[in-house]
Amino acid sequence: MDQINPIITNEALRGAFHDFGFVTGSDALVPLLRQAYKAASVSDITVLLEGETGTGKQILAYSIHCLDQKRRDFRFITMHCGTLSESLAESELFGHLKGAFTGAIAPRKGLFQAAQGGTLFLDDINDLPLQLQVKLLDVLQRGAVRTIGADLETQVNVRIIAASNQPLKPLVQHHLFRADLYHRLNVVSLFLPPLRNRMQDLASLALAFAQRHSDIYRPIDCVEPALISFLQSLTFPGNARELENDVRRMLFSKSEGTSLGLADWHHRPAELGAEDRPDLLGEAADRIWGAISGQGIPYAQAIHQLERRVLQAALNVGGRTRKEVAQMLRTSERTLYHKIRTHELRQHHDS
């Protein structure tokens, strides 16, 4: 892409971010992508990404960097703020000269200098110690850093993209994050919703992850509807990252075929004991109870809808006869036929 186009179709917009690993198949995230796309065209603007762990903040930050014509040919560097000790973080950020302190046996560039011209992504900025927040704010305001042990400052030209796995505003209100730094970072603010609030993307995400990790097994052509229906019943507290790891596990355990299905989910390596297996029925029961108790749905209606969705998912698996569907469900053809009539279901690609 040689030039950022302010007028771009939704499909082209999704495609632009898909090229760098941020996958969405629906229009729900289009406003978010439009803001990110616009931010990419303003190379000096600071971006704050908020959202739960695993929602794709780093991938979105990298996409913005790659779409930034001014900075994309320079480095994209990530600093995980939560992994740094306060004593070492200053050296990590600003660098040090040889002999600047005990153990400084060689000079070292800081991340600001290393990212010169490019993008510095500050992940989990909410975990940055307060003392370092003061020094970071000073760098952002003046565009200059002083290497530990040096007399002179060095000008830096770096775009800052920060990410937080907690909303920063409440942390500011409780004096756990500096208000002045928050306002300095919060120029363009983007919120990435959890996977449970964008389940319409689950199919495209699962397929994208399967194709991304095809080296584990072999190329995957599709993800079967029955598996998608099942995955949509889960909560995914780890969000897209959890889904990606689940897909990698399925690929690792797979032995044949070019599609992912329910059989791949249920297959576990032989060395895993029963205590390591997910309580799939328990998870489904918890969700039904949540619907009954939280939304006032009658028990009989909840069970009816559950059975209907399970049967329809099984019938949607292409290329299977009713006999094969019955075998997959561990029931008789007669029972299956009766249930199909009761729920007024239709089988796609019936034979």
Side-chain angles (χ1 to χ4, degrees), residues 7-8 28 31 42 68 76 88 90 104 108 110 123 133 145 158 173 211 216 228 234 248 251 263 268-269 271 279 351:
I7 303 175
I8 182 173
V42 186
D68 183 343
F76 174 86
L88 296 178
E90 188 173 356
R108 178 177 180 177
D123 198 13
Q133 292 179 27
V145 300
V158 175
Q173 294 170 342
Q211 294 174 340
I216 298 177
I228 295 301
L234 306 181
R248 294 181 70 182
L251 291 174
R268 304 288 292 183
E271 64 271 15
D279 182 12
S351 14

Side-chain angles (χ1 to χ4, degrees), residues 55-323:
T55 50
K57 297 185 293 294
Q58 182 167 355
I59 296 174
L60 184 60
Y62 178 69
S63 301
I64 293 172
H65 169 77
C66 292
L67 290 168
D68 183 343
Q69 297 176 64
K70 177 181 174 181
R71 301 191 183 277
R72 63 187 178 191
D73 293 328
F74 296 90
R75 298 181 69 184
F76 174 86
I77 293 181
T78 297
M79 187 183 88
H80 299 284
C81 299
T83 64
L84 293 176
S85 66
E86 189 167 351
S87 60
L88 296 178
E90 188 173 356
S91 173
E92 187 77 10
L93 280 172
F94 311 130
H96 62 256
L97 298 181
K98 180 179 178 179
F101 52 83
T102 302
I105 59 176
R108 178 177 180 177
K109 273 187 176 182
L111 295 181
F112 271 97
Q113 295 99 317
Q116 180 72 7
T119 301
L120 179 58
F121 176 55
L122 302 176
D123 198 13
D124 294 338
I125 189 76
N126 50 292
D127 290 331
L128 192 68
L130 285 169
Q131 185 59 36
L132 281 171
Q133 292 179 27
V134 178
K135 296 180 179 180
L136 175 61
L137 176 64
D138 184 60
V139 173
L140 296 182
Q141 289 176 334
R142 299 190 302 108
V145 300
R146 177 175 292 166
T147 300
I148 299 175
D151 295 325
L152 301 176
E153 292 182 333
T154 302
Q155 291 296 123
V156 289
N157 176 20
V158 175
R159 180 211 279 270
I160 296 296
I161 302 179
S164 175
N165 56 34
Q166 301 179 47
L168 286 184
K169 194 169 184 179
L171 297 182
V172 171
Q173 294 170 342
H174 289 88
H175 307 291
L176 299 175
F177 196 88
R178 290 185 62 93
D180 44 9
L181 178 58
Y182 169 69
H183 294 305
R184 183 63 181 79
L185 295 172
N186 191 34
V187 180
V188 175
S189 179
L190 303 175
F191 173 75
L192 282 76
L195 182 56
R196 61 184 175 274
N197 291 347
R198 50 179 289 214
M199 280 297 187
Q200 65 273 30
D201 280 338
L202 200 145
S204 55
L205 279 169
L207 182 59
F209 292 148
Q211 294 174 340
R212 180 182 302 173
H213 299 292
S214 60
D215 58 311
I216 298 177
Y217 172 62
R218 69 173 77 171
I220 295 295
D221 297 329
C222 69
V223 181
E224 296 177 4
L227 176 58
I228 295 301
S229 294
F230 168 73
L231 293 176
Q232 288 175 337
S233 72
L234 306 181
T235 57
F236 289 104
N239 293 295
R241 183 179 298 140
E242 180 181 349
L243 173 63
E244 182 173 11
N245 289 334
D246 284 336
V247 169
R248 294 181 70 182
R249 172 183 60 76
M250 287 188 280
L251 291 174
F252 181 77
S253 303
K254 196 169 181 61
S255 59
E256 61 181 13
T258 59
S259 65
L260 284 181
L262 269 176
D264 299 305
W265 175 272
H266 292 302
H267 178 72
R268 304 288 292 183
E271 64 271 15
L272 293 183
E275 67 277 6
D276 299 305
R277 300 173 187 265
D279 182 12
L280 304 178
L281 292 177
E283 291 174 0
D286 289 342
R287 290 178 66 85
I288 294 171
W289 169 243
I292 293 172
S293 60
Q295 301 178 32
I297 297 175
Y299 172 79
Q301 180 183 342
I303 297 301
H304 179 85
Q305 288 298 323
L306 174 66
E307 183 177 65
R308 189 178 195 283
R309 287 191 62 174
V310 170
L311 291 171
Q312 188 63 73
L315 293 170
N316 285 345
V317 178
R320 295 182 187 269
T321 65
R322 282 191 180 169
K323 180 178 180 180

